[in-house]
Amino acid sequence: MSGAAAGARTLACRLLAHRTVLLIALFAAALAAAWAAGSGHGAALVARTALLALAAASLSFLIGQAGLVSFGHAAPLGIGAYCVLILGEYEVRNILVVLPAAFAAGAAFAAITGLVALRTRGIYFIMITLAFAQMMFYVAASLSAFGGDDGMAIAGRSTFFGDRILRTDTQIAVWAVALLAAGLVLLERISASRFGLMLRTGRENEAKLEALGLDPFRHRLIALALASGIAGVAGAMLANQVDYVSPSLMNWHISGELIVMVVLGGAARISGAVIGAIVVVALDEALAPFTAHWKLGLGLVIVAAVLLRGADIGALIGRPAKAPDHG
Amino acid sequence: MSSALVISQLLNGLQLGVILFLVAAGLTLVFGVMDFINLAHGVQYMLGAYLVATLVAWTGHFGLGLLLGLAAALALGFAMEFLVFRHLTRRDHLDQVLGTFGVILVVTEAVRMIFGPAPLALPTPAVFSGSIALFEGFNYPTWRLVILAVGLGVALLLWYLVNRTRMGMLVRAGSTHPATVSALGVDIDRLFLCVFAFGAMLAGLAGAMAGPLVSVEPTMGDRIVIIAFVVVVVGGTGSIKGAFVAAMLIGMVDTLGRAFVPDLLRAFLGRSAAATAGPALSSMLIYLLMAAVLSVRPSGLFGRRAS
């Protein structure tokens, strides 16, 4: 009996110490509040934040764990969205087909471009991922059968064997939060595993890994494909939410904003990206009503954060700053 | 396809090449000297076009407006280096990406607030507004030839500056052995300041030259700067020669690809398949070229340092 109580207490402590669980609970609470208030806008906001957080978390896995600063993460996001559009035009709308297809397409894109991009380091890697993402942007813009430059509305939201499970904003938000939770758990479990350790070792000291006879290239390629697949899933859900797909989802500004989310929230922990996503969406919501030029505010926040070195909001929350010593 | 069409597309390719070279030259030197990634270089291109367009309208004279605009672009380059970029040079690449991305958002939005989202008109100077008959039955716009001449002139000037002056010697040395140059007593931060501001002016010049051909709008730098990244990567960072060769190569491949790939595909595929695949393939060409170059030479055609 006391053993069970102690077990429950340690479990509770572990849960509280676990920022990921808290964040998911926060999303669930926000969703419940939106549902109770009957606010469609609130639920849509929760869904959008959760999906962007999922994409940012997958990028955080690349930047924070593998040390791969990809400036092209909007590409798999957009590819996932185009999966919904293109499959929908061929009457394929089952979510059990659409989401795996979005994952596979995002992962395949990353695996193919990664074969070239991962041969390089540093600035080169950043620019090459950016260039490949831009390539996909122009390819999408040239698909005249699927809306070309302007994009087009999807034929219909994804279903579960014909059952319209994504009909309302609340339903989409439930799926988005569930996918975010699943994605975070998956990425954190992988980061904690031997595979994650190898990625971090490769980031810190590549020679060490090679001396052990391990090939960082293969690990990085798998990490890149996995993260891009998850971004593809997030993109597919975003397409369902707004009922519309256009090349602008692959605009390089989206890649930049995902990096902003990762770094603002702190790249050391994957859950940091979730905090970053919440901050960016909150900035958007707070500034957009006042001015059409809210990006100016976002830009100023970013520049100030980088210059002041206080960029890591996650660290501020996780580790309270030392109280000033007045002695 | 007639020979006149081929020649005019070749000239268009060269002209895109020199514009790309003007943008990439500053980028590659800044990469070389400071290992610094400046995403906001496209902003300098856009600002150059806006400054020149405004000053031309204000003075009523293209040459005068261009000179004043370039001086203003140079001054802005100094100011931006002083305010933001010098604080980022010794940070890791992630901070540089983030900081310069923030600069893009701020400047693009500020320009949109000041000038509005509608494109600004930058008229071709009257002297160069017509077209010239290069040979019997073949006319080519004069302004495009002017761009070509200016671009090649600047390339020559840069070659002279980099290879024949003391400053250029320092830039060359700094791009391969920055630590050694610094140890020899050269103020590498001041070198960076000069290279950065000069690069900003060159990008501004490119924007001003391209202004009459494209629309002068807040996001005009976005497209060009990513192609300029491709140029820098293909040419090898820090190499002016590499930037020139790669810029010409990519200008040609992009222009000729867009002009002729759909027709070529039509010969092999059906008409409808070619109509779908043609534009997609031609917009992928330069990235495929980049991938091909990098898989053979991971540090670019003329890259000296291992990446």
Side-chain angles (χ1 to χ4, degrees), chain A:
Chain A
M1 179 72 190
S2 67
R9 234 187 76 219
T10 30
L11 185 68
C13 282
R14 277 181 58 194
L15 282 182
L16 279 178
H18 216 294
R19 204 164 57 170
T20 309
V21 177
L22 283 179
L23 284 168
I24 294 300
L26 180 70
F27 270 102
L31 180 55
W35 180 73
S39 161
H41 177 68
L45 194 61
V46 169
R48 183 173 169 73
T49 314
L51 294 172
L52 287 175
L54 179 62
S58 66
L59 181 60
S60 173
F61 177 69
L62 286 182
I63 293 177
Q65 305 298 314
L68 299 171
V69 181
S70 165
F71 205 117
H73 218 53
L77 195 72
I79 289 172
Y82 269 90
C83 277
V84 176
L85 176 67
I86 293 172
L87 288 175
E89 291 295 302
Y90 293 100
E91 307 287 333
V92 180
R93 281 162 58 183
N94 191 328
I95 199 161
L96 293 185
V97 178
V98 171
L99 288 191
F103 183 94
F109 165 77
I112 293 168
T113 57
L115 285 176
V116 175
L118 284 174
R119 291 168 57 92
T120 62
R121 290 285 165 279
I123 287 178
Y124 277 84
F125 185 79
I126 296 172
M127 287 192 290
I128 291 162
T129 47
L130 174 60
F132 279 131
Q134 194 69 2
M135 175 180 88
M136 289 315 293
F137 175 85
Y138 286 118
V139 168
S142 68
L143 292 176
S144 47
F146 299 103
D149 276 328
D150 301 325
M152 64 191 277
I154 60 174
R157 290 183 177 175
S158 300
T159 60
F160 184 73
F161 296 103
D163 194 4
R164 294 165 66 198
I165 50 168
L166 296 179
R167 202 164 45 82
T168 66
D169 283 324
T170 310
Q171 285 171 319
I172 290 200
V174 168
W175 271 82
V177 173
L179 283 170
L180 173 64
L184 284 178
V185 168
L186 178 71
L187 288 171
E188 289 190 338
R189 289 306 288 267
I190 292 175
S191 303
S193 71
R194 267 167 53 95
F195 182 83
L197 182 63
M198 256 180 247
L199 286 179
R200 285 192 297 281
T201 312
R203 184 193 67 193
E204 301 292 338
N205 188 346
E206 195 162 338
K208 192 197 261 180
L209 216 54
E210 276 167 8
L212 291 170
L214 298 165
D215 183 10
F217 181 85
R218 208 167 53 95
H219 289 90
R220 288 182 179 139
L221 195 62
I222 294 172
L224 197 61
L226 172 73
S228 301
I230 292 176
V233 172
M237 289 302 291
L238 280 172
N240 269 305
Q241 196 202 0
V242 296
D243 296 307
Y244 201 86
V245 176
S246 79
S248 65
L249 201 55
M250 295 194 213
N251 190 307
W252 65 301
H253 280 244
I254 304 282
S255 300
E257 279 169 30
L258 289 174
I259 293 188
V260 169
M261 292 172 190
V262 170
V263 179
L264 279 187
R269 289 206 258 173
I270 286 170
S271 56
V274 181
I275 298 174
I278 296 173
V279 170
V280 170
V281 174
L283 263 179
D284 182 358
E285 284 290 308
L287 294 177
F290 298 107
T291 167
H293 303 290
W294 77 276
K295 289 261 163 90
L296 184 75
L298 179 66
L300 287 174
V301 168
I302 295 167
V303 174
V306 173
L307 290 185
L308 297 176
R309 260 297 194 190
D312 194 338
I313 296 173
L316 290 181
I317 296 172
R319 283 176 262 119
K322 242 189 192 168
D325 193 355
H326 294 296

Side-chain angles (χ1 to χ4, degrees), chain B residues 210-227:
Chain B
L213 300 178
V214 299
S215 54
V216 179
E217 53 180 347
T219 54
M220 68 184 284
D222 283 6
R223 186 181 129 76
I224 204 86
V225 77
I226 295 178
I227 309 183

Side-chain angles (χ1 to χ4, degrees), chain B residues 133-157:
Chain B
L134 286 183
F135 52 85
E136 189 64 32
F138 176 66
N139 290 324
Y140 194 74
T142 318
W143 183 244
R144 287 178 180 267
L145 289 176
V146 172
I147 293 178
L148 211 56
V150 169
L152 293 176
V154 172
L156 271 178
L157 177 71

